[in-house]
Amino acid sequence: MRRVAVVTGASRGIGAATAARLAADGYAVVLAARSVDDLETNAKQIEADGGSALAVATDVTDLRALDDLVAATVDRFGRLDVLVNNAGVLPVAARSDRISVEDWRQTIDLNLTGPWYLACRAKEAMDVGGAGGVVVNVTSTAAFFPSVGLSSYNASKAALTMLTRTLALDWARARVRVVGVAPGKVDTVLVQPILDWTEKKELPLNPLGRIGQPNEVADLIAFLVSESAAYITGTVITVDGGEVAASGADLAR
């Protein structure tokens, strides 16, 4: 029976690349994001390539919408095996004391609360039949070191990283694996402001000296949800050209 994967933030970037990769691997894919037109385009392309896809317009900060997303997945495909929590927001940089409570909550809701809630609802669906499943949380290298002006983003991604480990412990006996990937500077619209800043300040990108591509993150996710990774849970893997490893090092040498 075909396995079923839900990918949030699937309208573009890492989410779109992941949905396409999983579909190519034989999954029925549910694409979720707020951008309906882009979702429909991506879903139609997957089906044109011989895959099976469903586009569901979803605001990850709307918990009722997340309930509906899981329900729509089970109604259409009869099961849920994989959740990729990819949707997220990189707020406009601002010093901590200048961030409004509303903006702080928006970042936390989208980057942390939504993924937590959706993982819990997905786990309930994975429990049906006892087959288990896999949850992948897309965090960030920002979880490992601070950035001036991005305190809400750093905090949300650090918390998502710890949530990944905790859920893995909570759900291991239920045969639900929980893993994370932490992309560094990847060629996406979300990360473009950081890329622009890095170029403006003439800062080194990372030890490999290049920007990552969305498909490189998608390839890692595809491995982590496969049976080849069946013994992996509770860990977060960086895909960052060595950025975290070099934190504090002099890359100019």
Side-chain angles (χ1 to χ4, degrees), residues 26-51:
Y27 290 79
V29 182
V30 180
L31 299 89
R34 288 179 291 187
S35 179
V36 180
D37 292 342
D38 290 339
L39 279 183
E40 292 287 355
T41 298
N42 294 343
K44 289 178 181 178
Q45 184 60 56
I46 287 172
E47 294 191 327
D49 292 337

PDB file of all heavy atoms in Angstrom, residues 26-51:
ATOM      1  N   GLY A  26       7.391   7.437  -4.444  1.00  0.00           N
ATOM      2  CA  GLY A  26       6.199   6.605  -4.384  1.00  0.00           C
ATOM      3  C   GLY A  26       5.173   6.966  -3.340  1.00  0.00           C
ATOM      4  O   GLY A  26       4.156   6.279  -3.193  1.00  0.00           O
ATOM      5  N   TYR A  27       5.395   8.044  -2.599  1.00  0.00           N
ATOM      6  CA  TYR A  27       4.418   8.480  -1.608  1.00  0.00           C
ATOM      7  C   TYR A  27       3.244   9.190  -2.276  1.00  0.00           C
ATOM      8  O   TYR A  27       3.427   9.892  -3.288  1.00  0.00           O
ATOM      9  CB  TYR A  27       5.048   9.470  -0.627  1.00  0.00           C
ATOM     10  CG  TYR A  27       6.054   8.890   0.321  1.00  0.00           C
ATOM     11  CD1 TYR A  27       7.361   8.629  -0.080  1.00  0.00           C
ATOM     12  CD2 TYR A  27       5.717   8.607   1.641  1.00  0.00           C
ATOM     13  CE1 TYR A  27       8.295   8.108   0.788  1.00  0.00           C
ATOM     14  CE2 TYR A  27       6.643   8.081   2.526  1.00  0.00           C
ATOM     15  CZ  TYR A  27       7.931   7.833   2.093  1.00  0.00           C
ATOM     16  OH  TYR A  27       8.852   7.309   2.961  1.00  0.00           O
ATOM     17  N   ALA A  28       2.065   9.046  -1.701  1.00  0.00           N
ATOM     18  CA  ALA A  28       0.977   9.985  -1.971  1.00  0.00           C
ATOM     19  C   ALA A  28       1.259  11.190  -1.101  1.00  0.00           C
ATOM     20  O   ALA A  28       1.537  11.045   0.095  1.00  0.00           O
ATOM     21  CB  ALA A  28      -0.369   9.370  -1.623  1.00  0.00           C
ATOM     22  N   VAL A  29       1.237  12.373  -1.683  1.00  0.00           N
ATOM     23  CA  VAL A  29       1.695  13.565  -0.977  1.00  0.00           C
ATOM     24  C   VAL A  29       0.561  14.569  -0.818  1.00  0.00           C
ATOM     25  O   VAL A  29      -0.159  14.876  -1.775  1.00  0.00           O
ATOM     26  CB  VAL A  29       2.862  14.235  -1.730  1.00  0.00           C
ATOM     27  CG1 VAL A  29       3.356  15.459  -0.963  1.00  0.00           C
ATOM     28  CG2 VAL A  29       4.011  13.259  -1.925  1.00  0.00           C
ATOM     29  N   VAL A  30       0.416  15.077   0.396  1.00  0.00           N
ATOM     30  CA  VAL A  30      -0.513  16.161   0.681  1.00  0.00           C
ATOM     31  C   VAL A  30       0.303  17.423   0.871  1.00  0.00           C
ATOM     32  O   VAL A  30       1.139  17.492   1.777  1.00  0.00           O
ATOM     33  CB  VAL A  30      -1.369  15.868   1.933  1.00  0.00           C
ATOM     34  CG1 VAL A  30      -2.322  17.029   2.207  1.00  0.00           C
ATOM     35  CG2 VAL A  30      -2.149  14.571   1.746  1.00  0.00           C
ATOM     36  N   LEU A  31       0.086  18.400   0.008  1.00  0.00           N
ATOM     37  CA  LEU A  31       0.827  19.654   0.054  1.00  0.00           C
ATOM     38  C   LEU A  31      -0.012  20.698   0.788  1.00  0.00           C
ATOM     39  O   LEU A  31      -1.175  20.936   0.435  1.00  0.00           O
ATOM     40  CB  LEU A  31       1.142  20.152  -1.359  1.00  0.00           C
ATOM     41  CG  LEU A  31       2.005  19.254  -2.235  1.00  0.00           C
ATOM     42  CD1 LEU A  31       1.130  18.267  -3.006  1.00  0.00           C
ATOM     43  CD2 LEU A  31       2.817  20.085  -3.221  1.00  0.00           C
ATOM     44  N   ALA A  32       0.578  21.333   1.799  1.00  0.00           N
ATOM     45  CA  ALA A  32      -0.139  22.305   2.611  1.00  0.00           C
ATOM     46  C   ALA A  32       0.633  23.610   2.688  1.00  0.00           C
ATOM     47  O   ALA A  32       1.851  23.609   2.864  1.00  0.00           O
ATOM     48  CB  ALA A  32      -0.376  21.756   4.020  1.00  0.00           C
ATOM     49  N   ALA A  33      -0.076  24.712   2.519  1.00  0.00           N
ATOM     50  CA  ALA A  33       0.494  26.052   2.659  1.00  0.00           C
ATOM     51  C   ALA A  33      -0.647  27.042   2.496  1.00  0.00           C
ATOM     52  O   ALA A  33      -1.786  26.670   2.187  1.00  0.00           O
ATOM     53  CB  ALA A  33       1.583  26.322   1.629  1.00  0.00           C
ATOM     54  N   ARG A  34      -0.343  28.310   2.700  1.00  0.00           N
ATOM     55  CA  ARG A  34      -1.367  29.339   2.532  1.00  0.00           C
ATOM     56  C   ARG A  34      -1.548  29.748   1.073  1.00  0.00           C
ATOM     57  O   ARG A  34      -2.610  30.241   0.699  1.00  0.00           O
ATOM     58  CB  ARG A  34      -1.012  30.561   3.377  1.00  0.00           C
ATOM     59  CG  ARG A  34      -1.184  30.334   4.875  1.00  0.00           C
ATOM     60  CD  ARG A  34      -0.807  31.547   5.687  1.00  0.00           C
ATOM     61  NE  ARG A  34       0.633  31.797   5.652  1.00  0.00           N
ATOM     62  CZ  ARG A  34       1.245  32.718   6.395  1.00  0.00           C
ATOM     63  NH1 ARG A  34       0.539  33.472   7.211  1.00  0.00           N
ATOM     64  NH2 ARG A  34       2.553  32.872   6.321  1.00  0.00           N
ATOM     65  N   SER A  35      -0.519  29.554   0.253  1.00  0.00           N
ATOM     66  CA  SER A  35      -0.552  29.995  -1.136  1.00  0.00           C
ATOM     67  C   SER A  35      -1.244  28.950  -2.010  1.00  0.00           C
ATOM     68  O   SER A  35      -0.626  27.986  -2.476  1.00  0.00           O
ATOM     69  CB  SER A  35       0.877  30.232  -1.643  1.00  0.00           C
ATOM     70  OG  SER A  35       0.877  30.639  -2.980  1.00  0.00           O
ATOM     71  N   VAL A  36      -2.533  29.140  -2.243  1.00  0.00           N
ATOM     72  CA  VAL A  36      -3.341  28.134  -2.928  1.00  0.00           C
ATOM     73  C   VAL A  36      -2.873  27.906  -4.361  1.00  0.00           C
ATOM     74  O   VAL A  36      -2.738  26.767  -4.812  1.00  0.00           O
ATOM     75  CB  VAL A  36      -4.830  28.544  -2.922  1.00  0.00           C
ATOM     76  CG1 VAL A  36      -5.679  27.499  -3.644  1.00  0.00           C
ATOM     77  CG2 VAL A  36      -5.324  28.724  -1.494  1.00  0.00           C
ATOM     78  N   ASP A  37      -2.622  28.987  -5.094  1.00  0.00           N
ATOM     79  CA  ASP A  37      -2.249  28.854  -6.505  1.00  0.00           C
ATOM     80  C   ASP A  37      -0.963  28.050  -6.667  1.00  0.00           C
ATOM     81  O   ASP A  37      -0.879  27.163  -7.524  1.00  0.00           O
ATOM     82  CB  ASP A  37      -2.098  30.233  -7.149  1.00  0.00           C
ATOM     83  CG  ASP A  37      -3.420  30.968  -7.272  1.00  0.00           C
ATOM     84  OD1 ASP A  37      -4.475  30.297  -7.189  1.00  0.00           O
ATOM     85  OD2 ASP A  37      -3.405  32.198  -7.441  1.00  0.00           O
ATOM     86  N   ASP A  38       0.043  28.366  -5.869  1.00  0.00           N
ATOM     87  CA  ASP A  38       1.313  27.641  -5.960  1.00  0.00           C
ATOM     88  C   ASP A  38       1.143  26.179  -5.565  1.00  0.00           C
ATOM     89  O   ASP A  38       1.754  25.280  -6.167  1.00  0.00           O
ATOM     90  CB  ASP A  38       2.373  28.295  -5.077  1.00  0.00           C
ATOM     91  CG  ASP A  38       2.826  29.640  -5.610  1.00  0.00           C
ATOM     92  OD1 ASP A  38       2.644  29.883  -6.822  1.00  0.00           O
ATOM     93  OD2 ASP A  38       3.351  30.449  -4.831  1.00  0.00           O
ATOM     94  N   LEU A  39       0.326  25.916  -4.542  1.00  0.00           N
ATOM     95  CA  LEU A  39       0.067  24.541  -4.126  1.00  0.00           C
ATOM     96  C   LEU A  39      -0.552  23.741  -5.253  1.00  0.00           C
ATOM     97  O   LEU A  39      -0.149  22.610  -5.548  1.00  0.00           O
ATOM     98  CB  LEU A  39      -0.877  24.509  -2.913  1.00  0.00           C
ATOM     99  CG  LEU A  39      -0.303  24.754  -1.528  1.00  0.00           C
ATOM    100  CD1 LEU A  39      -1.408  24.605  -0.496  1.00  0.00           C
ATOM    101  CD2 LEU A  39       0.835  23.801  -1.215  1.00  0.00           C
ATOM    102  N   GLU A  40      -1.560  24.313  -5.888  1.00  0.00           N
ATOM    103  CA  GLU A  40      -2.249  23.627  -6.982  1.00  0.00           C
ATOM    104  C   GLU A  40      -1.288  23.338  -8.135  1.00  0.00           C
ATOM    105  O   GLU A  40      -1.311  22.257  -8.727  1.00  0.00           O
ATOM    106  CB  GLU A  40      -3.424  24.468  -7.475  1.00  0.00           C
ATOM    107  CG  GLU A  40      -4.571  24.614  -6.469  1.00  0.00           C
ATOM    108  CD  GLU A  40      -5.375  23.337  -6.322  1.00  0.00           C
ATOM    109  OE1 GLU A  40      -5.118  22.361  -7.048  1.00  0.00           O
ATOM    110  OE2 GLU A  40      -6.283  23.311  -5.473  1.00  0.00           O
ATOM    111  N   THR A  41      -0.445  24.311  -8.437  1.00  0.00           N
ATOM    112  CA  THR A  41       0.532  24.121  -9.514  1.00  0.00           C
ATOM    113  C   THR A  41       1.476  22.971  -9.191  1.00  0.00           C
ATOM    114  O   THR A  41       1.757  22.111 -10.044  1.00  0.00           O
ATOM    115  CB  THR A  41       1.344  25.412  -9.738  1.00  0.00           C
ATOM    116  OG1 THR A  41       0.455  26.453 -10.149  1.00  0.00           O
ATOM    117  CG2 THR A  41       2.409  25.206 -10.802  1.00  0.00           C
ATOM    118  N   ASN A  42       1.979  22.938  -7.960  1.00  0.00           N
ATOM    119  CA  ASN A  42       2.905  21.876  -7.556  1.00  0.00           C
ATOM    120  C   ASN A  42       2.224  20.509  -7.548  1.00  0.00           C
ATOM    121  O   ASN A  42       2.820  19.510  -7.960  1.00  0.00           O
ATOM    122  CB  ASN A  42       3.485  22.187  -6.186  1.00  0.00           C
ATOM    123  CG  ASN A  42       4.379  23.410  -6.183  1.00  0.00           C
ATOM    124  OD1 ASN A  42       4.827  23.872  -7.228  1.00  0.00           O
ATOM    125  ND2 ASN A  42       4.648  23.958  -5.005  1.00  0.00           N
ATOM    126  N   ALA A  43       0.983  20.476  -7.066  1.00  0.00           N
ATOM    127  CA  ALA A  43       0.245  19.209  -7.028  1.00  0.00           C
ATOM    128  C   ALA A  43      -0.017  18.691  -8.436  1.00  0.00           C
ATOM    129  O   ALA A  43       0.122  17.483  -8.714  1.00  0.00           O
ATOM    130  CB  ALA A  43      -1.068  19.388  -6.272  1.00  0.00           C
ATOM    131  N   LYS A  44      -0.384  19.580  -9.344  1.00  0.00           N
ATOM    132  CA  LYS A  44      -0.639  19.169 -10.731  1.00  0.00           C
ATOM    133  C   LYS A  44       0.634  18.659 -11.394  1.00  0.00           C
ATOM    134  O   LYS A  44       0.593  17.711 -12.188  1.00  0.00           O
ATOM    135  CB  LYS A  44      -1.221  20.344 -11.513  1.00  0.00           C
ATOM    136  CG  LYS A  44      -2.650  20.692 -11.128  1.00  0.00           C
ATOM    137  CD  LYS A  44      -3.155  21.900 -11.894  1.00  0.00           C
ATOM    138  CE  LYS A  44      -4.587  22.248 -11.477  1.00  0.00           C
ATOM    139  NZ  LYS A  44      -5.091  23.467 -12.184  1.00  0.00           N
ATOM    140  N   GLN A  45       1.775  19.264 -11.076  1.00  0.00           N
ATOM    141  CA  GLN A  45       3.038  18.804 -11.650  1.00  0.00           C
ATOM    142  C   GLN A  45       3.383  17.404 -11.153  1.00  0.00           C
ATOM    143  O   GLN A  45       3.859  16.555 -11.922  1.00  0.00           O
ATOM    144  CB  GLN A  45       4.167  19.775 -11.292  1.00  0.00           C
ATOM    145  CG  GLN A  45       5.503  19.423 -11.927  1.00  0.00           C
ATOM    146  CD  GLN A  45       5.442  19.407 -13.441  1.00  0.00           C
ATOM    147  OE1 GLN A  45       5.062  20.393 -14.063  1.00  0.00           O
ATOM    148  NE2 GLN A  45       5.800  18.279 -14.054  1.00  0.00           N
ATOM    149  N   ILE A  46       3.141  17.155  -9.862  1.00  0.00           N
ATOM    150  CA  ILE A  46       3.393  15.824  -9.309  1.00  0.00           C
ATOM    151  C   ILE A  46       2.532  14.786 -10.013  1.00  0.00           C
ATOM    152  O   ILE A  46       3.002  13.704 -10.391  1.00  0.00           O
ATOM    153  CB  ILE A  46       3.138  15.817  -7.792  1.00  0.00           C
ATOM    154  CG1 ILE A  46       4.268  16.565  -7.061  1.00  0.00           C
ATOM    155  CG2 ILE A  46       3.010  14.390  -7.253  1.00  0.00           C
ATOM    156  CD1 ILE A  46       4.016  16.771  -5.583  1.00  0.00           C
ATOM    157  N   GLU A  47       1.263  15.106 -10.230  1.00  0.00           N
ATOM    158  CA  GLU A  47       0.371  14.163 -10.886  1.00  0.00           C
ATOM    159  C   GLU A  47       0.741  13.989 -12.354  1.00  0.00           C
ATOM    160  O   GLU A  47       0.625  12.894 -12.908  1.00  0.00           O
ATOM    161  CB  GLU A  47      -1.072  14.622 -10.722  1.00  0.00           C
ATOM    162  CG  GLU A  47      -1.532  14.578  -9.265  1.00  0.00           C
ATOM    163  CD  GLU A  47      -3.019  14.759  -9.100  1.00  0.00           C
ATOM    164  OE1 GLU A  47      -3.612  15.497  -9.911  1.00  0.00           O
ATOM    165  OE2 GLU A  47      -3.581  14.154  -8.157  1.00  0.00           O
ATOM    166  N   ALA A  48       1.201  15.066 -13.001  1.00  0.00           N
ATOM    167  CA  ALA A  48       1.644  14.963 -14.390  1.00  0.00           C
ATOM    168  C   ALA A  48       2.851  14.044 -14.509  1.00  0.00           C
ATOM    169  O   ALA A  48       3.053  13.403 -15.551  1.00  0.00           O
ATOM    170  CB  ALA A  48       1.975  16.351 -14.934  1.00  0.00           C
ATOM    171  N   ASP A  49       3.637  13.981 -13.441  1.00  0.00           N
ATOM    172  CA  ASP A  49       4.821  13.124 -13.423  1.00  0.00           C
ATOM    173  C   ASP A  49       4.487  11.694 -12.984  1.00  0.00           C
ATOM    174  O   ASP A  49       5.394  10.880 -12.789  1.00  0.00           O
ATOM    175  CB  ASP A  49       5.882  13.701 -12.491  1.00  0.00           C
ATOM    176  CG  ASP A  49       6.479  15.006 -13.027  1.00  0.00           C
ATOM    177  OD1 ASP A  49       6.406  15.223 -14.247  1.00  0.00           O
ATOM    178  OD2 ASP A  49       6.994  15.801 -12.214  1.00  0.00           O
ATOM    179  N   GLY A  50       3.196  11.414 -12.794  1.00  0.00           N
ATOM    180  CA  GLY A  50       2.769  10.064 -12.446  1.00  0.00           C
ATOM    181  C   GLY A  50       2.529   9.826 -10.977  1.00  0.00           C
ATOM    182  O   GLY A  50       2.246   8.687 -10.569  1.00  0.00           O
ATOM    183  N   GLY A  51       2.629  10.871 -10.142  1.00  0.00           N
ATOM    184  CA  GLY A  51       2.423  10.729  -8.708  1.00  0.00           C
ATOM    185  C   GLY A  51       0.995  10.992  -8.288  1.00  0.00           C
ATOM    186  O   GLY A  51       0.108  11.243  -9.120  1.00  0.00           O
TER     187      GLY A  51
END
